[in-house]
Amino acid sequence: MARPVFALILALAVSGPAFAAPAIATPEDLGTAVSAQIACAGIFVAERAEADVLREDIHPFAPFMKAVTLAVDRKARTVTASAPGAATRTALFRPVAGCTLLTGDVSTAALDAQAAKLKPMRGKAAKPWPIGDAPVPKLAAAAEAKLDRAALDKAVRAAFDEQNKGGYPDTRAIVVVQGGAIVAEHYAPGFDRNTEMLGWSASKSIMGTLVGLLVDDGVLKLDEPAPVPEWKGEGDPRAKITLRQLLTMSSGLTFSESYVPGNDSIKMLFEAGDMGAMAAAKPLKDAPGTSWSYSSGTTNILSRIVFDATGGTLEGMTRFAQKRLFEPTGMTSALIEPDEAGVQVGSSYAYATARDWARYGLLHLNKGKAGGKQLLSKQWLDFAVTPTKSAPRPVYGAQLWLNQAEADGERRKLYPGLPEDTVMARGHSFQIVAAIPSQDAVIVRLGWTPEGHTFDWNKYLSQIAAALAPAVAAP
């Protein structure tokens, strides 16, 4: 589908102030850009206090963010980040949509018009778990007898013991579901079951699911050339790239994922107003399907494909995600923040409560079913968890991480302490949503592990999994 006329209108809009975004040349420039984006969401999406966001999110996150200050304009719905010697950056909040980092390409008035018809999802408090929160059922007696409650509580508490450079817990939320019941749930001070938290690259799995819904609908075809306008020129070798290859990170496109100034990921997330277009402009490095390369740019090309397939507007894309995925699963806190072109940034910017991230895991655990309805087909799910042949190890499917072992044994699994059938959405700062069919369990860990720190996923998740009942349901 051609780029919508609406996007052109936005690009030409001149009313309202514009915020010029110079190229990110230094770590300090990157610091104000990151700070504006995540602080805006922390304040307006998660509804946390400005001082808490600055103290617990911004300053500990990376050395070049220690000097950042914030200016919050609640009337204008903006957060501006400044630091000595760095370019000042501003992000705009729009209800239902979330926050967008401003580049100067589109006016704030045009961005508000873009989101004017967005509507929030219906609440779920009165509905039973997992679609709602009342009441949350208890684990079946037979499974409860096999569950080691003391070990589970100890394992969950241990995940909160590690602290970041600011002296705050790395882990902010853990939710464990087994046998359809929440068997463990714990939050760091200042966070609770209503706090929406960033998934970073766990967002990729959600965007992959939205693509899956369109494939199931017959709107998109896995093995046909991906509908990307930039690749339609005569003789363009990228025209052969299929949707399957984009989903499995085997497109062959050039894209550098390291996060330093001047890198592709930084240019896309913090300089580009149309992230999918920036990624789609990259040339081929390898023949499609012959190599594997993890790429946030690839996921944002998928995001733009979903955008075009759902009407070519932020309203259409938002409504599709709400009606086809978030509402049917009960993920009514979820949103994916868009770029200035109105395309949701599927690579990085999904927010949801910890329980709603667990609901996403349950969709995979329950073989595509939610609320008694089949949302995703068996064919799609089988494809999504099939290891990509071009990857060096069998640990990646279609926008999902896998834990399958190579022929040389258990030590080659991504997480040796977790069952081989574990399927995961994973993100920066050690976010994880792990669905474990052989234990009928979902484990969610959300946190804010700073640059230079690590969180031992295998250690803590393995301890939690070991405490669960060994076989609530058949694998």
Side-chain angles (χ1 to χ4, degrees), residues 1-13 106 110 114 274 307-308 311-314 340-341:
M1 181 182 293
R3 305 300 295 145
V5 174
F6 185 65
L8 178 61
I9 294 172
L10 289 177
L12 295 175
V106 183
Q114 191 184 68
D274 187 335
F307 176 84
D308 287 343
T313 65
L314 175 58
E340 288 181 321

Side-chain angles (χ1 to χ4, degrees), residues 135-141 144 149 178-183:
V136 176
K138 294 183 178 180
L139 191 62
E144 181 68 38
R149 281 282 174 187
Q178 188 174 41
I182 297 176
V183 296

Side-chain angles (χ1 to χ4, degrees), residues 154-462:
K154 181 179 179 181
V156 169
R157 287 196 304 272
F160 287 82
D161 287 343
E162 293 192 17
Q163 295 187 338
N164 62 36
K165 295 176 182 177
Y168 306 102
D170 268 2
T171 299
R172 293 179 168 181
I174 285 182
V175 174
V176 184
V177 180
Q178 188 174 41
I182 297 176
V183 296
E185 183 174 24
H186 191 69
Y187 298 92
F191 300 85
D192 59 31
R193 74 182 199 185
N194 297 312
T195 307
E196 296 172 45
M197 291 181 241
L198 177 59
W200 287 115
S201 283
S203 312
K204 291 178 172 69
S205 299
I206 292 179
M207 188 54 60
T209 298
L210 295 177
V211 173
L213 291 167
L214 290 166
V215 171
D216 282 345
D217 289 348
V219 175
L220 298 175
K221 305 292 184 182
L222 272 179
D223 294 306
E224 291 184 359
V228 178
E230 290 90 340
W231 302 346
K232 300 305 180 185
E234 185 176 354
D236 193 326
R238 299 173 300 178
K240 297 180 180 180
I241 298 172
T242 64
L243 191 66
R244 180 187 297 270
Q245 290 161 348
L246 289 172
L247 287 158
T248 57
M249 299 290 187
S250 56
S251 68
L253 289 169
T254 299
F255 195 87
S256 178
E257 187 69 18
S258 62
Y259 287 83
V260 295
N263 179 265
D264 289 337
S265 292
I266 296 303
K267 288 181 178 180
M268 180 182 69
L269 290 174
F270 304 112
E271 295 181 30
D274 187 335
M275 299 186 195
M278 181 268 187
K282 302 298 288 185
L284 275 181
K285 180 178 65 174
D286 301 305
T290 64
S291 65
W292 184 86
S293 180
Y294 183 81
S295 165
S296 291
T298 295
T299 304
N300 286 333
I301 294 171
L302 291 170
S303 296
R304 203 179 60 159
I305 290 172
V306 173
F307 176 84
D308 287 343
T310 54
T313 65
L314 175 58
E315 179 189 0
M317 190 176 192
T318 301
R319 185 186 300 116
F320 178 77
Q322 289 176 337
K323 299 300 182 184
R324 295 296 302 280
L325 178 60
F326 297 151
E327 285 184 346
T329 57
M331 296 175 63
T332 54
S333 72
L335 60 84
I336 308 174
E337 295 179 319
D339 61 17
E340 288 181 321
V343 181
Q344 293 174 341
V345 184
S347 68
S348 311
Y349 292 153
Y351 280 81
T353 64
R355 284 191 176 190
D356 278 358
W357 281 110
R359 289 176 170 99
Y360 179 71
L362 283 171
L363 179 65
H364 290 279
L365 191 70
N366 295 330
K367 300 179 180 179
K369 290 184 179 179
K373 297 180 180 180
Q374 191 74 42
L375 302 187
L376 287 166
S377 69
K378 180 180 183 300
Q379 290 79 7
W380 172 263
L381 291 170
D382 287 346
F383 157 65
V385 299
T386 298
T388 301
K389 291 182 179 179
S390 60
R393 294 170 61 191
V395 295
Y396 201 80
Q399 305 290 295
L400 287 166
W401 290 92
L402 312 176
N403 201 43
Q404 296 188 22
E406 288 185 314
D408 59 355
E410 289 285 305
R411 66 184 180 85
R412 295 294 296 168
K413 292 194 301 185
L414 196 59
Y415 300 121
L418 292 177
E420 190 169 350
D421 63 348
T422 304
V423 176
M424 296 159 284
R426 303 193 312 164
H428 182 69
S429 225
F430 299 90
Q431 323 305 326
I432 193 164
V433 180
I436 312 174
S438 58
Q439 290 190 286
D440 193 21
V442 171
I443 303 173
V444 173
R445 185 269 182 184
L446 302 170
W448 204 251
T449 304
E451 299 298 316
H453 280 215
T454 60
F455 176 84
D456 193 334
W457 271 331
N458 185 65
K459 172 184 174 181
Y460 293 110
L461 270 67
S462 299

